[in-house]
Amino acid sequence: MLRQIFHRHRARRPFPAAPSSSSSAAFHRGILRPFSSTITNLNSERSIRPQLPQSYTHDTLLTNQTVLIANRGEIAIRIARAAKALGAKSLAVCAPEDVDSPHVAFADEHVVLERGTTAIAPYLDIEGLTNVAVERGVDLVHPGYGFLSESAPFAQSLLSSNITWVGPPPDVLRLFGDKIQARALAERSSVPVVRGSGNLTCGEECLNVLNDGNVRLPAIMKAAYGGGGRGMRIVREMSQVTSSFDSCRREALTAFGRDEVFLEEFWEDTKHLEVQILADGRGNVVHLFERDCTVQHRHQKVIELAPARDIHPELRRRLVDCAVTLASSCNYKGAGTVEFLVRGAG
């Protein structure tokens, strides 16, 4: 998956490991992701405005420009700090429930959004956020991660209003939002992928794919537009196929509004490795080495280790080369992550 600018990324030195040639790797998931000032004293009416450090090397890059931060929490604070370091003003947005949150305090200005049906609904309101950006005359919108950071409609809405979107172009977001298209791009770019299928419409098609030997058990059904560990079912027996497909499809429709489902072989006892990349949208891509995200709970990362331990230097080279190739093939822009599954020794 590919993830965005002002995000945290560190160059990492390779960690040497024992030689091995018996490992295989495959591009795992097609996601390229992208990324005022008062602290309220709860015991008094006083507000304290923190003094954030000003950069001495990049303090004029965004002078007199305003960045709207379409997020909350720690990522919004980091974006506000980065904006200040670049000479820009930061405009925070918040749900009514978050008006006293730290990310509001760290921004230069803030706007309270209309109350939604849930506490996070205002942060998912494309029309409302676009209207705020237009009304306040901001120059850029930074989505952080999560929420609308991978939303092609949000990116397009801002670009149509002549506002700079800090992240990949809408067509790239649409491409990697569809795992079936992302797999196809990886194959065209000679990036190895786990054996899988195209879009499947019923349990019978799943059975045909498995019976033809195109995909072998154990397999995993995935929502083509899924994410966040949702919309997936592991299948170990043919008898589980039809019921698993139906439940996977229902969850996909409920969670993501799309019911496309595909099938991949399920690799067990693997490493989940990710490569960080930075790209300028003109085909120039650099990598920032890899991290090991194997420790997971319900398909969600729990611990990240960087650099990845016990992998052969040649495998590391192949991983970073594949990540750069994939990002270059679609003119990716911003910071991102390409995820791989690695099995075997190495």
Side-chain angles (χ1 to χ4, degrees), residues 8-14 276 288-291 304 306-307:
R8 66 199 188 290
H9 295 292
R10 298 193 304 271
R12 300 177 174 106
R13 288 165 42 199
Q276 302 286 288
L288 303 179
F289 292 101
E290 82 297 331
R291 61 190 179 196
E304 297 180 354

Side-chain angles (χ1 to χ4, degrees), residues 207 210 217-219 234-242 244:
L207 289 169
L210 293 167
L217 293 178
I234 298 172
V235 178
R236 300 184 184 278
E237 304 289 342
M238 295 293 278
S239 60
Q240 301 173 323
V241 170
T242 301
S244 295

Side-chain angles (χ1 to χ4, degrees), residues 101-127:
S101 295
H103 82 277
V104 176
F106 268 88
D108 295 310
E109 300 173 347
H110 74 272
V111 171
V112 180
L113 303 171
E114 291 186 11
R115 188 178 299 276
T117 55
T118 65
I120 66 170
Y123 301 101
L124 299 172
D125 182 359
I126 292 175
E127 183 178 358

Side-chain angles (χ1 to χ4, degrees), residues 1-2 26-33 172 175-176 179-193 275 277-279 283-287 318-333 336-340:
M1 292 188 166
L2 295 176
F27 170 60
H28 177 34
R29 288 183 284 191
I31 301 179
L32 298 182
R33 302 185 166 165
V172 173
L175 169 63
F176 284 94
K179 293 181 175 61
I180 296 173
Q181 289 192 53
R183 283 176 52 87
L185 174 65
E187 290 176 324
R188 291 195 302 271
S189 304
S190 299
V191 175
V193 297
V275 175
I277 61 95
L278 291 171
N284 300 308
V285 183
V286 296
H287 69 82
R318 289 173 56 202
L319 290 173
V320 298
D321 285 352
C322 284
V324 169
T325 297
L326 187 65
S328 300
S329 67
C330 63
N331 288 326
Y332 187 76
K333 182 178 181 180
T337 308
V338 185
E339 301 184 0
F340 297 89

Side-chain angles (χ1 to χ4, degrees), residues 3-4 29 37 46 49 111 120 131 135 149 152 159 168 173 177 200 204 224 251 254 257 260 272 276 278 288 328:
R3 292 177 191 173
Q4 273 156 30
R29 288 183 284 191
S37 200
R46 290 189 307 112
R49 180 171 292 273
V111 171
I120 66 170
N131 288 341
E135 291 168 5
S149 63
L159 294 174
L173 290 171
L200 301 171
E204 185 176 351
E251 183 177 353
T254 301
E260 291 90 335
H272 179 121
Q276 302 286 288
L278 291 171
L288 303 179
S328 300

Side-chain angles (χ1 to χ4, degrees), residues 191-306:
V191 175
V193 297
V194 179
R195 292 175 65 176
S197 71
N199 180 42
L200 301 171
T201 60
C202 63
E204 185 176 351
E205 284 190 15
C206 290
L207 289 169
N208 291 337
V209 170
L210 293 167
N211 286 326
D212 291 343
N214 296 325
V215 177
R216 294 169 295 189
L217 293 178
I220 183 168
M221 295 177 184
K222 294 182 178 181
Y225 290 86
R230 302 186 65 185
M232 293 190 282
R233 296 290 187 279
I234 298 172
V235 178
R236 300 184 184 278
E237 304 289 342
M238 295 293 278
S239 60
Q240 301 173 323
V241 170
T242 301
S243 61
S244 295
F245 177 85
D246 292 340
S247 62
C248 184
R249 195 175 188 186
R250 283 194 301 270
E251 183 177 353
L253 184 61
T254 301
F256 311 111
R258 302 286 294 263
D259 64 358
E260 291 90 335
V261 172
F262 69 104
L263 199 63
E264 280 185 345
E265 288 187 358
F266 180 65
W267 285 9
E268 301 189 84
D269 299 323
T270 62
K271 288 183 178 180
H272 179 121
L273 304 182
E274 300 182 352
V275 175
Q276 302 286 288
I277 61 95
L278 291 171
D280 65 0
R282 300 182 181 88
N284 300 308
V285 183
V286 296
H287 69 82
L288 303 179
F289 292 101
E290 82 297 331
R291 61 190 179 196
D292 189 330
C293 306
T294 302
V295 180
Q296 299 192 6
H297 177 64
R298 294 183 179 179
H299 309 295
Q300 292 289 285
K301 293 176 289 186
V302 177
I303 297 173
E304 297 180 354
L305 301 174

